[in-house]
Amino acid sequence: MIGLRALPVSSLRGISTRGFHATLPSYAKNSAPKVQSVLATLNVKADRVKTYKPVTPGLRHLRRPVSPHLYEGRPVRALTLAKRKKGGRNALGKITVRHIGGGHKRRIRIIDFMRSEAGPHDVVRIEYDPGRSAHIALLKSRNPLSKKPLSYIVAPEGLRAGDVVESYRSGIPKDLVPGYVDKPQPSKKERRLAREAEEAARKLAAKQAHNPFVHKSSLSVPPLSTDPAAPQSVLDPSVLNRAQTDAGATNSSLSLGVLRTLTLKPGNVLPLRLIPSGTIIHCVALSAHGPAVLCRAAGTYAQVVAHDDKGRYTQVRLMSGEVRNVLQNSCATIGKASNPDWKLRSLGKAGRSRWLGRRPKVRGMAMNACDHPHGGGRGKSKGNKHPRSVWGWLKGKRTRRPTDKDGNKMVVHQRPRGKEKRGGV
């Protein structure tokens, strides 16, 4: 039979190519359904994760989250620092941290975790940050006299270029909501000064009460007027105070509702005392004047559970299931951290891991006896030894200090462990 290569071009014009699709091998036919089955088992939509045709072995298992809104250019150089690599070695050149070395050249993005500057900020663009799993947003302040006109923040989910975010860390402006007065919880120093002033006033009143030269009438309530023109009926003070309290509570609740409507937007920073229960937050600070330390990775978030009656702590539930107390003067960002599909990625090949600066990890049983406590011997055996590290440290030994046996005092409910985590009783 004459092959197709031997036929002239003019003789190939009338040949139909429909039959060639039916002669494909079986492994080529089933390649697309396999990709769909993997995404189906992960319960992920195909438009959220990008897969590639397996023309090379490195592309067969490669999966990347789809982020078409990311800026493709370089970052603002003034907001970056050079990252100097040491390959896991100390000043003497000895390896202190294994499995680190190589990787692509990077620059560290300076992220504003304080968000101390008030006023509206425009979102210029959303960028990729090689130093973290979440995306970052470039903000531009509308204040022409701002010391930091540009800044980077951890982008919440759904934030896009053109949006406006604002930080209320320093308090609510007086002209934002008419009738609303922000009353933050006083600090330790302010509470100490208030106690001292109250004690001084009490001592002064007691001293004047025992002073014989002070007339008693000056310390009592002045009598009612006997003028006939004055009103003869006096309203009960308790009724008057109750009416004023009810009116003030109604106005306060309305003002609080308007305030939440204006401020509870993704990307805004608010003190925990102004965030209602059930709100999703991220970038949570643990002190009133400290940076955000909790829920900064991709797709992480926390939830406000309840507020303390004394106005000091707020209970926050973390993703691990732990419920802990956080000071109400501490601030948090509304929304969830961006790039939640980061956990669905698959590098696809070992070289991509080397590009990230990760060196191979070798099992101890695959080493020689001089290199690891599990090394040596015939076949796959570790010599009936307890699991140990490369330096001979016994695995499973308790490392928590005796003083910490009761755990963190700020934790209200610990994260589920063991049967509780697996759904058992």
Side-chain angles (χ1 to χ4, degrees), residues 30-285:
N30 299 330
S31 60
K34 284 184 178 179
V35 175
Q36 296 295 333
S37 63
V38 170
L39 296 178
T41 55
L42 295 175
N43 295 326
V44 178
K45 296 181 180 179
D47 57 348
R48 291 173 52 187
V49 178
K50 183 178 181 181
T51 57
Y52 297 85
K53 188 176 180 180
V55 295
T56 61
L59 293 178
R60 181 173 299 276
H61 301 290
L62 178 62
R63 289 198 308 268
R64 287 175 172 174
V66 178
S67 301
H69 59 280
L70 290 182
Y71 178 69
E72 298 181 356
R74 294 180 176 272
V76 179
R77 191 172 181 85
L79 299 178
T80 60
L81 293 174
K83 184 177 181 181
R84 308 301 181 189
K85 299 182 180 180
K86 298 181 180 179
R89 290 162 172 83
N90 59 4
L92 301 179
K94 296 183 179 180
I95 296 178
T96 56
V97 182
R98 301 187 300 164
H99 317 133
I100 292 180
H104 200 279
K105 200 173 184 179
R106 300 180 181 180
R107 292 189 69 85
I108 300 175
R109 276 68 167 173
I110 303 175
I111 309 297
D112 183 14
F113 289 114
M114 293 294 296
R115 301 288 298 274
S116 56
E117 186 172 354
H121 289 69
D122 296 321
V123 179
V124 180
R125 62 199 183 204
I126 309 296
E127 298 184 8
Y128 165 78
D129 187 359
R132 65 190 66 255
S133 56
H135 297 153
I136 59 177
L138 179 63
L139 303 184
K140 182 178 180 181
S141 177
R142 293 185 180 180
N143 184 9
L145 303 178
S146 174
K147 297 181 179 179
K148 296 190 301 182
L150 296 176
S151 61
Y152 279 127
I153 65 168
V154 175
E157 180 66 15
L159 193 69
R160 295 294 182 267
D163 295 344
V164 180
V165 297
E166 191 167 355
S167 174
Y168 300 96
R169 188 184 188 108
S170 57
I172 303 298
K174 296 182 180 179
D175 55 347
L176 182 63
V177 178
Y180 178 80
V181 179
D182 189 15
K183 297 180 180 180
Q185 184 71 15
S187 61
K188 290 184 178 180
K189 184 177 180 180
E190 293 175 349
R191 290 197 301 269
R192 179 176 57 82
L193 294 177
R195 286 196 303 267
E196 293 177 356
E198 184 180 356
E199 184 69 18
R202 187 180 62 82
K203 290 181 179 180
L204 180 61
K207 185 177 180 181
Q208 291 179 353
H210 295 288
N211 191 355
F213 298 99
V214 178
H215 198 271
K216 303 298 181 182
S217 61
S218 61
L219 301 177
S220 59
V221 180
L224 296 177
S225 176
T226 57
D227 187 7
Q232 301 300 321
S233 61
V234 180
L235 185 63
D236 189 2
S238 61
V239 177
L240 181 62
N241 293 338
R242 192 182 305 113
Q244 293 177 353
T245 302
D246 295 341
T250 304
N251 296 333
S252 178
S253 61
L254 293 176
S255 302
L256 186 60
V258 175
L259 176 68
R260 290 176 176 176
T261 304
L262 295 176
T263 58
L264 288 179
K265 298 179 181 179
N268 287 359
V269 177
L270 286 169
L272 289 178
R273 68 176 185 274
L274 299 179
I275 302 178
S277 301
T279 307
I280 299 299
I281 56 177
H282 70 285
C283 286
V284 184

Side-chain angles (χ1 to χ4, degrees), residues 17 38 40 155-156 205 207 240 268 307-308 315 334 337 386 393 400:
T17 59
V38 170
K207 185 177 180 181
L240 181 62
N268 287 359
H307 296 283
D308 188 6
Q315 293 184 4
I334 306 298
H386 290 287
W393 300 342
R400 186 177 294 274

